Amino acid sequence: MDKLLIKGKKPLSGEIYASGAKNSALPILAASLLSDSPLTVGNLPHLNDVTTMLELLGSMGVDVLLSDDMEVRVDASTIKNLDARYELVKTMRASILVLGPLLAKYQKATVALPGGCAIGSRPVNLHIEAMRLMGADINIEDGYIRASVKGRLKGTKIIFEPVSVTATENVIMAATLAEGETVIENAAREPEVIDLANCLIGMGAKIKGAGTDTIVVEGVKSLKGTSFSVMPDRVEVGTYLTAVAMTGGKVKIKSAKPEYLSSVITKLESCGAEIESSEDWILIEMKKERPIATSLTTGPYPSFPTDMQAQFVSLNSIAKGNSTVTETVFENRFMHVQEIARMGGNITLKGNTAVIQGISKLKGAPVMATDLRASASLVLAGLVAEGSTTIDRIYHIDRGYERIEEKLKLLGADIERIS
Ligand code: UD1
């Protein structure tokens, strides 16, 4: 099994490009199921989760043509079966995103229940209840969601509680081909929801309010293919910015979208980093030897993203001062704490809050990646630590970070993939 070997204490400097956003690519690929003609998706990140989604579509008989530059042409008109099997769903919970499109377009879907995952129970009840409200008949049996609808789904009002990103996306997609108007209240405002809506609008959908907490979709009879380029990955960009705030140095990230990173940029500035940006790049310079500790609480967009929480636990562990990091989105998203503690971090967990006493240095150690963002936090810890850090189970990282070791090497890090 591949591992990452990092020799720490090297400042980062140079330029890299942001990759396309995983969390935007996945729903957009699922949206191809709604179309009568091929959808072309560009700026796709080369990631295991994207491959899994393409495999899932392929397993249904959808024709997937991938070009060298990670542009994919997806033709769903060749579809043969409407089943998302457990073998694929279990490796990626976002597979649930095919439920809405399949029901809306083909009036039938069988999707394996994703089950729990490392960061909490992560139920899909909101997805199921919303489809029921839209007229679907849903049975849960043998670990599968078996859904069908007579005729078209029906537009209705759906109020989410709590707010859910993929449930909002599933309903938007389902509503595009439903009869009448669907109003989603307490909708997720994440930029990836806007990206999906923009792609669907390009396909002929009628959607208003994406990016606000009320989204209105007027169903249409059919959607056609279009060509759409996925937005940059704000979590990837945020992760590299945080790395620089920890190691020191000066890095420019091109093809980024700073407007979607406000909460993260504000925190990095309060840590002492200097940040400049324009519409599509961000420059970070960290002159201080150590960042200043910063407390935070995660929440749905535009609050501080849960997907950046682990990276900031890592930053705070070597910061000057004490801090608290409170997780409000997922119930069990602190597995990185034990691993950072193995490197010397002084962190105590109190319920959903990590209480962190910043120390002057971490020491390299063998550690284990437990989930995607936890793995990123260990990479950051390894970059700043004294000595060598080996990170095991990096398949988690490959789900969400495109060529992480190559990008970090470009910035001067001593990092390599070993087996
Ligand atoms: C998405 C992102 C993930 C990010 C998360 C929160 C994708 C592919 N993944 O995940 O990277 O960490 O948003 O920003 O976009 N919930 C329910 N019932 C449901 C659905 C969710 O109770 O049916 C709860 C969850 O347990 C969690 C909260 O709602 O506590 C938010 O989860 P949600 O926004 O649904 O996360 P995902 O869409 O799975």
Side-chain angles (χ1 to χ4, degrees):
M1 207 180 287
D2 281 2
K3 298 184 176 111
L4 282 178
L5 171 64
I6 305 174
K7 292 182 184 140
K9 283 252 162 268
K10 300 231 169 17
L12 298 175
S13 67
E15 288 185 359
I16 47 172
Y17 281 89
S19 295
K22 166 178 90 71
N23 287 354
S24 179
L26 298 176
I28 286 171
L29 289 173
S32 66
L33 292 167
L34 293 160
S35 178
D36 288 337
S37 50
L39 173 70
T40 303
V41 187
N43 200 30
L44 267 189
H46 195 285
L47 297 172
N48 286 355
D49 274 10
V50 169
T51 311
T52 304
M53 182 57 89
L54 293 173
E55 263 180 53
L56 182 60
L57 295 172
S59 75
M60 295 176 191
V62 171
D63 191 41
V64 175
L65 190 71
L66 196 60
S67 73
D68 288 347
D69 54 355
M70 283 313 273
E71 188 175 86
V72 71
R73 184 177 165 278
V74 190
D75 183 357
S77 66
T78 57
I79 199 160
K80 288 187 186 66
N81 70 75
L82 308 172
D83 301 347
R85 293 195 321 265
Y86 182 61
E87 299 79 73
L88 289 165
V89 176
K90 74 176 181 197
T91 66
M92 187 185 67
R93 298 180 47 82
S95 309
I96 189 77
L97 284 164
V98 300
L99 178 64
L102 286 178
L103 261 178
K105 175 79 176 155
Y106 300 101
Q107 288 72 51
K108 201 168 173 258
T110 304
V111 180
L113 273 173
C117 77
I119 64 173
S121 64
R122 296 186 82 179
V124 287
N125 58 310
L126 297 176
H127 302 248
I128 292 170
E129 285 314 315
M131 295 304 140
R132 279 194 178 128
L133 283 172
M134 295 180 81
D137 185 20
I138 299 190
N139 292 312
I140 313 285
E141 47 188 26
D142 316 325
Y144 277 84
I145 304 166
R146 298 186 199 281
S148 62
V149 59
K150 288 196 185 74
R152 287 164 75 189
L153 288 168
K154 306 261 179 314
T156 185
K157 183 189 245 191
I158 288 159
I159 306 172
F160 281 124
E161 187 53 53
V163 49
S164 160
V165 179
T166 45
T168 299
E169 293 166 342
N170 236 336
V171 171
I172 293 176
M173 291 190 280
T176 57
L177 289 182
E179 214 177 300
E181 184 181 88
T182 302
V183 179
I184 309 170
E185 287 188 1
N186 203 23
R189 289 180 282 168
E190 266 67 4
E192 293 76 14
V193 173
I194 306 177
D195 217 33
L196 169 67
N198 285 339
C199 176
L200 289 166
I201 289 167
M203 292 163 71
K206 292 191 177 157
I207 304 169
K208 287 198 183 122
T212 75
D213 58 8
T214 305
I215 298 176
V216 181
V217 185
E218 180 67 43
V220 295
K221 290 227 166 95
S222 65
L223 295 174
K224 58 183 178 0
T226 185
S227 208
F228 191 82
S229 181
V230 172
M231 65 177 269
D233 196 313
R234 64 195 167 100
V235 182
E236 186 205 27
V237 172
T239 301
Y240 289 123
L241 294 176
T242 310
V244 181
M246 291 170 71
T247 62
K250 187 174 176 179
V251 167
K252 185 172 189 178
I253 306 181
K254 293 178 168 176
S255 303
K257 254 203 169 171
E259 64 169 297
Y260 293 146
L261 273 157
S262 298
S263 60
V264 172
I265 288 175
T266 307
K267 284 289 165 202
L268 290 170
E269 284 174 335
S270 73
C271 292
E274 291 162 39
I275 296 179
E276 261 181 69
S277 61
S278 98
E279 209 180 302
D280 62 352
W281 55 261
I282 305 186
L283 177 72
I284 180 167
E285 182 164 18
M286 183 61 169
K287 293 178 187 149
K288 292 188 187 309
E289 208 174 300
R290 284 168 66 196
I292 301 157
T294 186
S295 294
L296 62 93
T297 300
T298 65
Y301 190 86
S303 295
F304 191 90
T306 172
D307 285 350
M308 284 298 301
Q309 177 258 103
Q311 298 86 320
F312 268 72
V313 167
S314 202
L315 175 143
N316 277 324
S317 71
I318 51 100
K320 269 193 183 147
N322 302 335
S323 57
T324 55
V325 171
T326 302
E327 172 61 53
T328 71
V329 181
F330 291 112
E331 60 194 25
N332 183 28
R333 204 172 202 185
F334 276 125
M335 271 89 59
H336 41 289
V337 163
Q338 290 309 320
E339 301 301 303
I340 296 171
R342 289 172 52 74
M343 300 172 72
N346 188 346
I347 311 170
T348 318
L349 274 183
K350 290 198 174 137
N352 63 343
T353 297
V355 180
I356 307 160
Q357 285 181 27
I359 54 169
S360 61
K361 62 178 178 221
L362 291 172
K363 288 215 169 119
V367 288
M368 191 139 73
T370 48
D371 68 71
L372 172 54
R373 306 303 169 187
S375 321
S377 77
L378 298 178
V379 171
L380 302 195
L383 290 173
V384 80
E386 205 164 62
S388 298
T389 298
T390 322
I391 307 176
D392 204 347
R393 300 202 179 164
I394 56 161
Y395 53 84
H396 290 292
I397 301 185
D398 295 332
R399 289 188 44 211
Y401 289 88
E402 183 173 57
R403 297 179 288 115
I404 189 166
E405 71 275 25
E406 283 176 41
K407 288 194 181 187
L408 285 170
K409 257 190 204 157
L410 267 177
L411 299 178
D414 188 340
I415 178 168
E416 61 180 314
R417 192 176 281 254
I418 55 174
S419 42

